[in-house]
Amino acid sequence: MFFTYKELQGVNENLIIWKYMSLSKFIQIILTSTLWFNRLDNFEDVFEGVYPQGNRRKIYYNNAEKSEKEINEIQKITRKKVYVSCFHINEYESAAMWKLYSSDEGVAIKLNMKSLKASFDAEEKRIYIERVRYVDFSRDFIPDNNIVHLALSKRKSFEHEKELRCIFYDYKAKYSQQTGVSIKVDINELIKEVYISPYAPSYLKNQVEKISEIFGLKANVIRSPLYDLE
């Protein structure tokens, strides 16, 4: 279920978001009615779940609420027990996202924040949803009163991603070797529109329409008009 707390800024329900992926990942979502959440230390960016230097400088100046040992332990817990699924915030298609996260047989799902929240009604676990904050890791400070903040901070080098994150904190479990978890979703809430990659062959639209029909997916299937003159 969608869950929030007062320290989070919150996201407008009309916010338009996208998720770019391969065709195989799309099929996996509708086949299983689940969304994959990647463990924080399983991302390419080694700074995921790491405090910026602003937090550590407070320690050096002896005015921090957290000690060096506590900071390191929080990082360790966060990177091993927090799982995220990433979305892209944009009113329009992103040429960069097609290049980065989809192949010539890629697809993107488009929906708004209200539908994203509703899609997690099928899941008992608490799911937090919030915009990522892009910070200068050489000097900035982030809140250290909740582990979720640590999963919402990324370096400014990634600002182009305009990321919205769905977060699951598995606070009950011990450290696990699993690299991610599958979270239940209502696929007709999660997938409102499906865009076919502008690089995809013409037949892919029909294939996605047939797959959607088989699994009872009601979403509109649209071939990307990104590079169409008309």
Side-chain angles (χ1 to χ4, degrees), residues 60-78:
Y60 303 151
Y61 298 150
N62 297 318
N63 64 347
E65 295 180 5
K66 300 286 189 296
S67 68
E68 180 88 33
K69 182 178 179 181
E70 287 173 315
I71 285 286
N72 291 334
E73 184 62 23
I74 292 170
Q75 284 185 178
K76 180 180 178 182
I77 292 171
T78 303

Side-chain angles (χ1 to χ4, degrees), residues 181-196:
V181 294
S182 294
I183 298 294
K184 295 177 184 177
V185 289
D186 180 332
I187 59 171
N188 279 303
E189 288 289 354
L190 180 71
I191 307 173
K192 293 297 186 181
E193 292 182 316
V194 183
Y195 277 67
I196 308 300

Side-chain angles (χ1 to χ4, degrees), residues 2-228:
F2 168 71
F3 193 83
T4 190
Y5 65 97
K6 62 182 180 180
E7 286 84 1
L8 289 179
Q9 180 180 347
V11 182
N12 189 302
E13 291 198 335
N14 295 319
L15 187 74
I16 302 298
I17 51 179
W18 304 70
K19 192 171 184 67
Y20 293 80
M21 69 194 81
S22 65
L23 179 62
S24 62
K25 288 183 179 179
F26 172 75
I27 293 174
Q28 182 69 13
I29 290 173
I30 62 175
L31 180 65
T32 63
S33 292
T34 62
L35 188 62
W36 180 255
F37 279 51
N38 207 27
R39 198 174 70 190
L40 208 56
D41 67 342
N42 197 43
F43 283 87
E44 181 180 13
D45 182 13
V46 296
F47 285 85
E48 290 279 3
V50 173
Y51 278 110
Q53 286 301 310
N55 291 74
R56 295 187 178 277
R57 287 200 181 99
K58 275 185 165 276
I59 293 170
Y60 303 151
Y61 298 150
N62 297 318
N63 64 347
E65 295 180 5
K66 300 286 189 296
S67 68
E68 180 88 33
K69 182 178 179 181
E70 287 173 315
I71 285 286
N72 291 334
E73 184 62 23
I74 292 170
Q75 284 185 178
K76 180 180 178 182
I77 292 171
T78 303
R79 290 170 59 80
K80 293 293 186 182
K81 300 180 73 172
V82 171
Y83 302 83
V84 304
S85 182
C86 308
F87 288 77
H88 172 68
I89 302 170
N90 208 326
E91 288 189 33
Y92 307 98
E93 287 183 73
S94 169
M97 292 298 108
W98 281 124
K99 288 282 190 180
L100 284 170
Y101 296 107
S102 297
S103 65
D104 58 357
E105 291 193 346
V107 302
I109 60 175
K110 179 184 178 184
L111 68 159
N112 61 23
M113 178 63 180
K114 182 178 180 180
S115 293
L116 180 61
K117 290 195 299 185
S119 72
F120 293 116
D121 287 348
E123 175 59 66
E124 293 182 356
K125 298 181 179 69
R126 291 182 175 184
I127 307 299
Y128 303 91
I129 306 175
E130 186 61 87
R131 293 173 184 260
V132 166
R133 292 182 290 269
Y134 298 95
V135 301
D136 183 344
F137 264 60
S138 68
R139 61 183 178 84
D140 284 348
F141 174 86
I142 65 171
D144 58 9
N145 61 335
N146 193 296
I147 204 169
V148 175
H149 290 297
L150 197 50
L152 288 170
S153 300
K154 294 189 70 171
R155 290 178 292 164
K156 284 186 175 291
S157 301
F158 295 90
E159 279 187 300
H160 64 281
E161 294 181 344
K162 294 176 159 182
E163 192 174 333
L164 180 86
R165 283 193 163 177
C166 303
I167 299 173
F168 166 56
Y169 171 35
D170 193 3
Y171 63 94
K172 292 182 179 179
K174 296 181 179 179
Y175 292 150
S176 172
Q177 296 303 312
Q178 61 184 353
T179 58
V181 294
S182 294
I183 298 294
K184 295 177 184 177
V185 289
D186 180 332
I187 59 171
N188 279 303
E189 288 289 354
L190 180 71
I191 307 173
K192 293 297 186 181
E193 292 182 316
V194 183
Y195 277 67
I196 308 300
S197 169
Y199 309 109
S202 57
Y203 60 77
L204 190 63
K205 180 176 183 292
N206 289 334
Q207 288 187 343
V208 171
E209 286 175 335
K210 289 179 181 178
I211 292 169
S212 299
E213 183 180 355
I214 290 171
F215 289 96
L217 184 62
K218 302 171 184 177
N220 293 327
V221 180
I222 303 162
R223 178 173 173 79
S224 168
L226 188 62
Y227 296 116
D228 294 347

